[in-house]
Amino acid sequence: MKVLVTGGTGYIGSHTCCELLDRGYEVVIIDNLSNSKKEVVSKIEQITGKKVKFYLGDVRDKELLRKIFKENEINFVIHFAGYKAVGESVLNPLMYYENNLLSTINLCEVMKEFDCKNLVFSSSATVYGIPKKLPLKEDFSLAATNPYGQTKLMIENILKDLYASDNSWNIVILRYFNPIGAHASGLIGEEPNGIPNNLMPYIVKVANKELPFLNIFGNDYDTVDGTGVRDYIHVVDLAIGHVLSIEKINKDKGIFIYNLGTGHGYSVLELVNTFSKVNNIEVNYRIVDRRPGDVAECYADTKKATIELGFKAQKTIDDMCRDSYKYVINNK
């Protein structure tokens, strides 16, 4: 079985490639390296002992997509490629709508041309908007609050409409919560360009003395310690969820939507303190004002993924913190 992974050298994509290869799938990657590095391909091969076919390019490029499908007998596609920074999407919405929507539409059109109709899509918990009730379930109402989230929601609707028009498609939509951690080898992990948008890369840069301190946005929420609570999931657990999704559409036909998280919330301070404890290193932080739009708590109901996919996150918050720092230490 051959899987095309768009954005396969990125953070979640690279870990998913490793899990696919470890389970006997062949992997083809397309990535324009806008937020990743070419050497990730050799690291994936080093971890797994298996070869990967890599195409440098953009998923919006239909001719390149046709070339990939002509040269490879693709059975499944996992679609990660897309811009993903919330703040940047607010500043430059047209860039996000153009890139994320067009890449998905072009990909689906070429998949249809080559009669490859098995797709796993990388969505996000941002499609739930501001939670009215917790834990978040897949059948809750949807309302994204920023252009990045809107692109994910629009793509979900495009895929639902695509399936309604042609039920020979098999589609799994995965709504991620907060992936952190890195591969146990320390060879691949999260390495965003510039100032990080997410909490764990920021913690790591402060621990590594690349940044002076971590800003914690608010400590007056109605939570265990006043700081915001989120559902953090180890990136390897998340990657395994994609392999299980491939297996799902290989045996069951239809369109399926799943939350991928642990089903448990950790506060910002719990994450910072755990990171300090397991890595024996100080993380300087300061409390600043809340950010507009931030919510007190957000975590998943994962029962549906457990029942239908056989998915259950295995790794602990200690594992997440230890592996995140190991990657940085290994790649100084």
Side-chain angles (χ1 to χ4, degrees):
M1 292 288 192
K2 197 170 280 191
V3 184
L4 173 63
V5 182
T6 75
T9 58
Y11 175 45
I12 304 168
S14 59
H15 288 81
T16 301
C17 288
C18 290
E19 296 304 319
L20 287 165
L21 290 161
D22 282 345
R23 285 161 174 76
Y25 293 91
E26 291 181 65
V27 169
V28 179
I29 293 173
I30 175 174
D31 203 304
N32 64 7
L33 305 179
S34 67
N35 198 32
S36 59
K37 297 183 173 73
K38 173 77 187 296
E39 51 262 37
V40 170
V41 176
S42 58
K43 289 181 178 181
I44 292 169
E45 292 175 340
Q46 187 181 338
I47 289 166
T48 61
K50 295 176 181 172
K51 297 297 288 181
V52 171
K53 200 163 183 183
F54 175 74
Y55 291 84
L56 175 61
D58 198 298
V59 184
R60 288 171 293 181
D61 183 346
K62 269 180 134 174
E63 285 313 307
L64 176 58
L65 290 176
R66 289 189 180 105
K67 174 180 162 69
I68 292 169
F69 277 85
K70 278 174 189 162
E71 293 178 359
N72 305 275
E73 200 171 312
I74 303 295
N75 304 104
F76 304 92
V77 177
I78 303 179
H79 181 34
F80 293 106
Y83 295 146
K84 61 174 190 173
V86 169
E88 183 182 55
S89 79
V90 173
L91 294 172
N92 201 341
L94 292 181
M95 181 176 86
Y96 270 67
Y97 287 119
E98 193 272 341
N99 181 77
N100 293 3
L101 297 178
L102 194 57
S103 61
T104 306
I105 291 166
N106 285 1
L107 176 65
C108 289
E109 285 178 345
V110 174
M111 287 176 69
K112 186 177 178 183
E113 282 177 36
F114 287 85
D115 198 32
C116 172
K117 296 180 178 179
N118 299 312
L119 177 65
V120 178
F121 173 60
S122 160
S123 192
S124 165
T126 57
V127 300
Y128 291 113
I130 297 167
K132 296 179 181 67
K133 189 177 169 189
L134 292 170
L136 290 164
K137 296 184 179 182
E138 289 87 348
D139 59 0
F140 280 12
S141 61
L142 307 176
T145 58
N146 55 69
Y148 160 72
Q150 289 285 8
T151 66
K152 292 296 188 186
L153 186 50
M154 286 179 180
I155 292 167
E156 286 198 13
N157 288 331
I158 288 168
L159 296 178
K160 289 172 187 173
D161 288 343
L162 179 60
Y163 178 75
S165 73
D166 177 4
N167 64 12
S168 64
W169 281 85
N170 301 301
I171 299 167
V172 176
I173 293 167
L174 297 176
R175 294 176 182 156
Y176 308 163
F177 279 70
N178 296 73
I180 58 175
H183 195 272
S185 66
L187 287 170
I188 57 173
E190 188 170 17
E191 198 174 344
N193 296 331
I195 300 288
N197 291 293
N198 297 328
L199 179 59
M200 182 56 82
Y202 216 113
I203 290 173
V204 166
K205 283 187 180 288
V206 173
N208 215 22
K209 304 287 189 270
E210 294 173 57
L211 294 169
F213 45 76
L214 170 73
N215 287 325
I216 294 179
F217 297 98
N219 65 346
D220 57 351
Y221 288 104
D222 184 17
T223 61
V224 62
D225 56 26
T227 63
V229 167
R230 298 293 181 270
D231 189 337
Y232 298 99
I233 177 171
H234 197 293
V235 67
V236 172
D237 282 330
L238 186 64
I240 290 167
H242 292 76
V243 182
L244 294 172
S245 298
I246 293 280
E247 292 170 0
K248 172 74 175 171
I249 55 178
N250 201 29
K251 69 178 196 300
D252 295 326
K253 306 307 174 191
I255 183 166
F256 310 96
I257 300 171
Y258 301 108
N259 289 331
L260 291 188
T262 62
H264 179 83
Y266 293 94
S267 76
V268 174
L269 275 179
E270 284 177 314
L271 193 66
V272 170
N273 292 335
T274 303
F275 185 95
S276 295
K277 180 190 74 180
V278 301
N279 296 306
N280 194 28
I281 192 163
E282 190 73 24
V283 178
N284 295 320
Y285 65 84
R286 64 179 185 179
I287 307 295
V288 297
D289 290 341
R290 293 185 184 191
R291 285 183 302 197
D294 274 358
V295 297
E297 293 186 279
C298 183
Y299 54 92
D301 185 311
T302 57
K303 290 190 197 76
K304 188 180 176 197
T306 301
I307 294 165
E308 296 187 19
L309 286 183
F311 172 82
K312 190 152 184 63
Q314 301 296 322
K315 292 183 181 288
T316 66
I317 195 79
D318 286 27
D319 296 327
M320 299 178 210
C321 291
R322 191 180 296 110
D323 291 344
S324 292
Y325 198 49
K326 183 179 180 181
Y327 171 71
V328 171
I329 297 299
N330 278 17
N331 292 275
K332 272 188 176 179

